Amino acid sequence: MENLKFILSGGGTGGHIYPAVAIANELKSRFPDAEFLFVGAKDKMEMQKVPQSGYKIEGLWIAGLQRKLTLQNAMFPFKLIDSLWKSRAIIKKFKPNVVIGTGGFASGPLLQMANMLHIPTVIQEQNSYPGITNKILSKKANKICVAYENLERFFPKEKMILTGNPVRQDLIDIENKKTEAIQYFNLDPNKKTLLVLGGSLGARRVNQLIEKELNHLNALNVQVIWQCGKLYFEDYKKYNSNNVQVLAFIDRMDLVYAATDIVISRAGASSVSELCIVGKPVIFIPSPNVAEDHQTKNAKSIVDKKGALMLKEPELETQFSIVFEALLKDIGKQEQLSNNIKQLALPNATKQIVDEIVSLIKN
């Protein structure tokens, strides 16, 4: 096979960036001489995260439509046309064998132009409810790798492959890391550990809840690892203590999951996939501020199979302390949730997605 070239696009949040990097890493392990280029949205997180992972990236002048009337919305047609032309120039110059999109603003114009230029495209859809960009792109895409069943109403059935979402490979086996994890985070092995995950940027409502509940958690003899997000770290770092660790970001997700007894998490697609693999009891608090309320749908797909609990934001004031305390004291319920969520894991997603990409390479 000649020197292969791949363009990947995914960004805006860690949930779109991480799968793209995981796919690139798997392709690189199979084709060490291949060339890679990422395409992202200027001023978004991918412009830092992708180079940190060792890949080149180019930025498009693109942003999503706001829900209210803004100057940004008025600029959208110009940004879209500019991004389509730049995407065309990037593709013509780089000459990729396959173009892969994992969601985010930049993947729209890039994959649209790749389809127009008759270059094979693969969409990796992380959510149980796809966004409008991927619905449009799916009509021309060659393959659509999905993480949830029953997406036929959104995508052409013959193009869909149920693969799951790419997850960090070091999460596959955390059972034997507990001792290392307790030392790494300097935890008390005799206390239960609660992990709070608000996503890469943080979640204001979840942070407000934990701030309010700290005394209650302390009274329950629970120690807390609280990932509050980089946007909120300055506000909450004052709560660092022997019992509470406030972190902007967690580098060793494998160890934090190994140390944890119960997880409180948003329900972004990547987080849900990771939590299925690590198999810990989870209380999902989905963000209501995302397109088509897809986090609630992601969480519900797990809750419906008795694999997790879910509290919506309006329920937190009255229900959280009751639900959490009941779960903490019910070891049988913890084990049931743990076993059920593990049944939903798809640990070979990255390899399967790359198999589908490889099948499109024209010799």
Side-chain angles (χ1 to χ4, degrees):
M1 234 176 242
E2 86 280 14
N3 191 14
L4 296 172
K5 294 182 176 186
F6 301 98
I7 295 183
L8 298 99
S9 180
T13 67
H16 292 313
I17 300 164
Y18 181 75
V21 171
I23 291 165
N25 289 344
E26 175 64 21
L27 281 164
K28 198 173 189 177
S29 74
R30 296 194 198 185
F31 307 107
D33 297 329
E35 289 181 52
F36 296 88
L37 179 65
F38 279 68
V39 175
K42 284 178 180 172
D43 308 324
K44 291 289 179 184
M45 191 194 289
E46 57 265 32
M47 301 309 289
Q48 283 79 46
K49 293 286 180 195
V50 168
Q52 284 168 12
S53 302
Y55 295 101
K56 287 188 294 191
I57 187 165
E58 292 205 32
L60 302 180
W61 186 46
I62 188 76
L65 284 164
Q66 305 297 306
R67 292 186 188 183
K68 49 188 183 292
L69 203 61
T70 64
L71 179 61
Q72 251 190 318
N73 278 358
M75 294 295 288
F76 181 78
F78 302 102
K79 290 184 175 185
L80 181 60
I81 291 163
D82 183 85
S83 295
L84 284 164
W85 279 109
K86 185 156 188 202
S87 294
R88 187 176 193 275
I90 289 168
I91 291 166
K92 287 276 199 185
K93 185 180 174 190
F94 192 75
K95 298 185 175 65
N97 296 83
V98 184
V99 175
I100 302 124
T102 61
F105 304 135
S107 64
L110 183 80
L111 269 75
Q112 182 71 16
M113 195 49 75
N115 289 332
M116 288 171 70
L117 294 168
H118 305 295
I119 288 164
T121 60
V122 175
I123 295 170
Q124 196 266 317
E125 173 55 63
Q126 293 114 34
N127 289 295
S128 57
Y129 195 93
I132 190 162
T133 306
N134 278 354
K135 285 185 214 166
I136 295 166
L137 292 171
S138 69
K139 293 175 176 59
K140 295 277 176 65
N142 296 73
K143 306 255 184 179
I144 306 157
C145 297
V146 297
Y148 292 90
E149 295 168 341
N150 307 318
L151 296 190
E152 292 83 3
R153 64 192 192 279
F154 305 115
F155 296 141
K157 188 176 180 180
E158 69 281 2
K159 295 180 182 181
M160 280 197 308
I161 308 100
L162 180 67
T163 58
N165 283 324
V167 297
R168 302 160 222 253
Q169 289 304 295
D170 58 2
L171 301 184
I172 304 292
D173 179 25
I174 59 165
E175 299 298 319
N176 54 9
K177 294 182 180 178
K178 179 123 188 178
T179 307
E180 183 191 352
I182 284 168
Q183 288 174 347
Y184 183 88
F185 287 101
N186 200 23
L187 296 166
D188 181 342
N190 301 312
K191 288 184 177 181
K192 291 283 187 182
T193 302
L194 169 66
L195 171 63
V196 181
L197 297 173
S200 46
L201 297 174
R204 177 187 284 125
R205 189 65 193 86
V206 174
N207 287 336
Q208 289 170 342
L209 171 75
I210 299 305
E211 180 179 39
K212 176 177 159 285
E213 295 288 338
L214 281 178
N215 288 339
H216 183 220
L217 293 169
N218 208 19
L220 292 170
N221 206 26
V222 171
Q223 56 198 345
V224 184
I225 299 176
W226 177 6
Q227 185 257 318
C228 65
K230 64 177 187 179
L231 294 181
Y232 301 99
F233 182 67
E234 291 303 316
D235 298 336
Y236 292 104
K237 64 181 182 184
K238 62 188 176 194
Y239 293 111
N240 264 312
S241 67
N242 289 340
N243 221 31
V244 181
Q245 295 181 48
V246 183
L247 304 167
F249 187 78
I250 298 170
D251 290 317
R252 290 297 303 270
M253 289 305 294
D254 59 329
L255 293 184
V256 86
Y257 284 131
T260 295
D261 297 291
I262 295 175
V263 182
I264 291 169
S265 178
R266 283 303 205 197
S270 290
S271 299
V272 173
S273 298
E274 285 188 359
L275 290 162
C276 289
I277 282 182
V278 298
K280 300 286 178 169
V282 186
I283 301 171
F284 285 118
I285 303 173
S287 169
N289 311 314
V290 291
E292 281 109 357
D293 197 22
H294 67 244
Q295 286 204 6
T296 301
K297 297 179 176 86
N298 291 347
K300 192 172 181 300
S301 69
I302 307 295
V303 173
D304 287 350
K305 293 177 179 169
K306 298 184 169 52
L309 304 177
M310 173 170 70
L311 286 171
K312 295 187 178 181
E313 286 193 357
E315 301 170 323
L316 294 177
E317 286 301 317
T318 56
Q319 295 297 307
F320 175 79
S321 54
I322 300 163
V323 170
F324 179 78
E325 192 166 339
L327 180 60
L328 183 70
K329 291 176 177 174
D330 189 341
I331 302 301
K333 181 71 171 175
Q334 290 177 34
E335 287 174 358
Q336 181 199 20
L337 292 176
S338 210
N339 291 333
N340 289 348
I341 199 170
K342 265 199 154 161
Q343 302 303 312
L344 305 175
L346 295 164
N348 298 316
T350 316
K351 289 184 170 64
Q352 260 188 284
I353 292 162
V354 169
D355 288 344
E356 296 300 333
I357 294 166
V358 171
S359 75
L360 295 174
I361 297 170
K362 294 169 181 168
N363 289 317

